[in-house]
Amino acid sequence: AYEIRLSLVGSEMCIRDRVSTQSTADLQKITEVREELDTFYQRLDTFRPREDSLLIELQAANNKVVENTKRVQAVFVHIKAEDSKIDALISKRKQLEEELGSLRLQRIENNRANREKEQADRAAKWAAIQEEKQRRKEEFLERERRRQEERAAAEMLIVPYEEELSLCDNLLAYLESIAAQKKAKGDLKLKWEIYLSFEHISTVPPKTYAEVDQTIAAIKAKKEYYQQLSKQKQEQRRAALENPEVEASEAEAVSDPAASSEASSQPAEITAPVQDDKVSHTVTEAAPTTEGENKVEASADQ
């Protein structure tokens, strides 16, 4: 805003009083200055409404600035409150992290203790299983030892090659009865059971009455051979009974007691000379029993 000084008004009156004494150039200059002042005042009057509107706008802007300042201050207060809350949350988070770490350590310790307990339980169960297996093994070995002793005792009661020796005695008795018939000559006809008995002891039967004495000598030699085998078998049984450690080691290797007993009960292979190489028979049937042999001898005597 522009202000009009009071001194100018006074100077204007002085100028108006001295018009007559000044030169025309001065008057002209004063006139120009006066016109400029009027122009300035007119322009000043034109700017006054704009100045008022600007003042109003400036006052509104100032009010907005004050209001925004108050809002910013309120925001700052809220931020400070939130910062305090954040600090409390951070401290609480640290506390919870510490608690979580302690809980994790406790869980790790508990898991370790549980694993050690489980391992100890498994080791105890395994030891119990091994102990039970050892006990069963010892019981099995004891049963096998007793079974071997019982089988050996039973085998000791059985005479080895008893059947072959019995067949030799029966055949000797039968042939001696035939040899007692001095007048008999020619071919000798025997029954099928007699042939089976000869085949069982691997001896050639006589074809004629003249060969009976030679067959009797062969059967006696065969009987002596079976007696020697029987004696050897009995000595082996006695040696097995006198050495129980061998029995125990054999019992451990036995997986099928029935098969082993069957194999041990089979007689050894018989190799004996025969009377005649021209005759050989293969008979798979069982040898006749003593009762059948007695019937054959009785029929021959008749």
Side-chain angles (χ1 to χ4, degrees):
Y2 298 95
E3 295 180 359
I4 299 174
R5 295 181 181 180
L6 295 176
S7 61
L8 292 178
V9 178
S11 63
E12 184 181 357
M13 291 175 66
C14 291
I15 293 170
R16 194 177 290 174
D17 292 336
R18 292 183 304 207
V19 171
S20 58
T21 60
Q22 293 179 351
S23 62
T24 306
D26 295 334
L27 290 174
Q28 185 68 30
K29 189 176 180 180
I30 292 169
T31 303
E32 292 176 356
V33 170
R34 190 172 180 179
E35 288 178 356
E36 290 178 356
L37 287 173
D38 292 337
T39 304
F40 177 76
Y41 288 147
Q42 290 177 0
R43 290 181 64 186
L44 182 63
D45 292 336
T46 57
F47 282 109
R48 283 187 183 277
R50 179 64 178 167
E51 180 183 2
D52 294 336
S53 64
L54 291 174
L55 289 173
I56 292 171
E57 291 178 359
L58 180 61
Q59 186 66 31
N62 288 331
N63 293 332
K64 288 183 179 180
V65 168
V66 171
E67 185 179 357
N68 290 330
T69 303
K70 290 181 180 179
R71 289 180 180 178
V72 169
Q73 290 177 353
V75 170
F76 284 151
V77 172
H78 181 70
I79 289 172
K80 287 183 179 179
E82 293 296 327
D83 287 339
S84 62
K85 290 181 181 180
I86 289 171
D87 294 336
L89 290 173
I90 290 172
S91 61
K92 187 174 181 180
R93 178 183 176 181
K94 290 181 179 178
Q95 183 180 359
L96 291 175
E97 286 178 351
E98 291 177 357
E99 292 179 358
L100 181 61
S102 61
L103 290 174
R104 286 177 178 174
L105 291 175
Q106 185 178 1
R107 185 179 64 182
I108 291 171
E109 293 295 331
N110 292 333
N111 291 335
R112 184 181 301 170
N114 291 331
R115 284 196 298 270
E116 291 177 355
K117 184 179 179 181
E118 289 177 357
Q119 289 177 358
D121 293 339
R122 285 197 295 269
K125 290 181 180 179
W126 179 252
I129 290 171
Q130 293 297 322
E131 185 178 355
E132 181 66 18
K133 288 175 67 177
Q134 184 65 25
R135 185 184 63 80
R136 291 183 179 179
K137 182 178 179 181
E138 291 176 356
E139 290 179 355
F140 172 75
L141 292 177
E142 181 65 20
R143 287 196 302 270
E144 287 297 322
R145 186 183 63 80
R146 292 178 181 176
R147 191 177 301 169
Q148 291 286 343
E149 290 178 354
E150 293 175 357
R151 185 165 60 247
E155 289 179 355
M156 287 298 294
L157 297 177
I158 299 173
V159 178
Y161 303 104
E162 183 179 6
E163 183 180 1
E164 287 79 0
L165 292 172
S166 178
L167 287 175
C168 289
D169 292 335
N170 293 332
L171 289 174
L172 284 174
Y174 175 69
L175 293 176
E176 287 175 355
S177 65
I178 293 176
Q181 301 175 6
K182 301 293 183 179
K183 297 180 180 180
K185 294 182 181 180
D187 294 335
L188 180 61
K189 294 181 180 180
L190 302 175
K191 292 185 178 181
W192 179 247
E193 292 82 357
I194 302 300
Y195 284 108
L196 289 178
S197 299
F198 277 103
E199 288 295 335
H200 190 79
I201 63 173
S202 301
T203 305
V204 179
K207 296 179 180 179
T208 61
Y209 285 96
E211 296 177 355
V212 171
D213 294 334
Q214 185 179 359
T215 305
I216 290 173
I219 293 174
K220 288 181 179 180
K222 183 67 68 173
K223 182 178 179 181
E224 291 178 359
Y225 171 73
Y226 282 123
Q227 287 175 351
Q228 291 177 359
L229 290 180
S230 178
K231 185 177 179 181
Q232 292 177 1
K233 188 69 175 178
Q234 289 177 353
E235 289 177 354
Q236 291 176 0
R237 292 174 181 175
R238 292 191 188 93
L241 289 175
E242 291 175 358
N243 193 0
E245 295 181 357
V246 178
E247 291 277 332
S249 61
E250 291 178 355
E252 292 180 359
V254 170
S255 59
D256 188 0
S260 63
S261 63
E262 182 180 357
S264 62
S265 62
Q266 291 179 355
E269 184 180 359
I270 300 172
T271 304
V274 295
Q275 182 180 356
D276 191 359
D277 294 336
K278 296 180 181 180
V279 180
S280 61
H281 300 280
T282 303
V283 180
T284 57
E285 297 181 2
T289 59
T290 307
E291 184 178 358
E293 293 172 356
N294 293 332
K295 290 181 180 180
V296 172
E297 292 177 358
S299 62
D301 293 336
Q302 292 177 357

